[in-house]
Amino acid sequence: AQKVTQAQTEISVVEKEDVTLDCVYETRDTTYYLFWYKQPPSGELVFLIRRNSFDEQNEISGRYSWNFQKSTSSFNFTITASQVVDSAVYFCALTRSYNTDKLIFGTGTRLQVFP
Amino acid sequence: DVKVTQSSRYLVKRTGEKVFLECVQDMDHENMFWYRQDPGLGLRLIYFSYDVKMKEKGDIPEGYSVSREKKERFSLILESASTNQTSMYLCASSDLAGGTYEQYFGPGTRLTVT
């Protein structure tokens, strides 16, 4: 069965600290997509990144970076030099099966960045 | 930019009332979704629609129904609201044909049933 685990319920850091949000997934599919979404206090989930199962290259976008490792079924998200605006709930998600855009979400990690 | 709008940000209803939550998207997406979000449980799929008048149950459909009469509009109906349906409801749409698998979300409706 498909499953996404975000073991960290809540993380608090001080501004400028680096922080890593963990995501571990389970799937029987060989082809799948992984996602990270951000939910700021306004409530709307914002897409951050999509990764397909054949692309294990790490990705960096500004202060954000993602580490995809199939060997450990993990897709971790690191924010470098965190800022107060990074405070949000972050969700990791996995496609439920091949050729579908139905997703299964993790339970989310609430990140609080204090000034 | 894809825009997904939901009819209300906050809603308070009484137990037993029939409740309609409306969602509209403006990008001609085939697929639309209704989720509920509860603390510690993440997002759970209630219903999914892949075309007009087509729907599919998600993980927690009990107590809910949906309607999709037009491609851009997907409604969630609580036939007889109960207190355990107090939650945040999120609508999303996606363009599977475009191959991105990305879902675009609305701002959510926080429903309180008293």
Side-chain angles (χ1 to χ4, degrees):
Chain A
Q2 318 291 85
K3 188 178 179 183
V4 176
T5 301
Q6 294 180 258
Q8 303 152 308
T9 305
E10 190 161 336
I11 301 175
S12 295
V13 298
V14 176
E15 225 175 1
K16 297 184 183 175
E17 281 186 43
D18 298 347
V19 58
T20 295
L21 309 182
D22 297 332
C23 174
V24 174
Y25 63 94
E26 294 175 31
T27 180
R28 288 176 295 196
D29 296 328
T30 54
T31 303
Y32 52 89
Y33 287 84
L34 291 158
F35 299 78
W36 276 96
Y37 282 86
K38 174 182 180 180
Q39 185 181 39
S42 59
E44 184 172 333
L45 269 77
V46 176
F47 167 81
L48 295 178
I49 190 172
R50 176 186 69 251
R51 211 21 142 217
N52 76 50
S53 51
F54 296 110
D55 184 0
E56 283 194 76
Q57 278 193 339
N58 291 334
E59 179 149 343
I60 299 174
S61 176
R63 295 183 297 106
Y64 294 173
S65 62
W66 290 269
N67 184 335
F68 176 33
Q69 292 197 338
K70 285 177 79 170
S71 59
T72 56
S73 296
S74 65
F75 186 41
N76 296 337
F77 172 31
T78 297
I79 302 174
T80 303
S82 59
Q83 299 177 1
V84 172
V85 293
D86 296 326
S87 298
V89 180
Y90 291 86
F91 290 96
C92 181
L94 166 71
T95 42
R96 291 183 180 230
S97 60
Y98 175 66
N99 203 30
T100 178
D101 56 355
K102 286 195 288 185
L103 302 179
I104 183 161
F105 285 83
T107 52
T109 297
R110 179 177 298 278
L111 174 65
Q112 294 198 71
V113 182
F114 294 99
Chain B
D1 264 2
V2 176
K3 193 76 172 176
V4 179
T5 56
Q6 296 184 227
S7 50
S8 307
R9 291 301 303 271
Y10 300 93
L11 209 52
V12 179
K13 295 292 181 180
R14 293 190 182 275
T15 301
E17 278 193 76
K18 190 168 186 175
V19 181
F20 292 86
L21 303 183
E22 305 286 342
C23 174
V24 178
Q25 51 95 3
D26 66 358
M27 284 301 290
D28 202 35
H29 284 170
E30 294 88 5
N31 295 349
M32 296 187 75
F33 308 81
W34 274 107
Y35 296 90
R36 65 177 279 176
Q37 180 182 1
D38 300 288
L41 296 177
L43 275 71
R44 293 179 292 167
L45 182 64
I46 305 172
Y47 265 99
F48 159 65
S49 170
Y50 48 94
D51 203 347
V52 175
K53 297 190 187 296
M54 306 302 284
K55 62 186 179 186
E56 192 174 298
K57 292 180 180 179
D59 301 318
I60 50 165
E62 297 77 20
Y64 304 95
S65 62
V66 290
S67 172
R68 190 152 180 217
E69 297 296 320
K70 293 185 178 181
K71 191 174 186 179
E72 67 270 20
R73 188 180 297 270
F74 191 34
S75 303
L76 180 69
I77 304 156
L78 285 66
E79 297 289 344
S80 177
S82 64
T83 55
N84 63 13
Q85 292 178 309
T86 291
S87 187
M88 169 75 98
Y89 290 88
L90 292 161
C91 175
S93 72
S94 68
D95 178 20
L96 180 60
T100 65
Y101 296 84
E102 177 185 340
Q103 293 186 19
Y104 297 84
F105 284 82
T109 296
R110 188 166 292 283
L111 172 68
T112 301
V113 182
T114 61

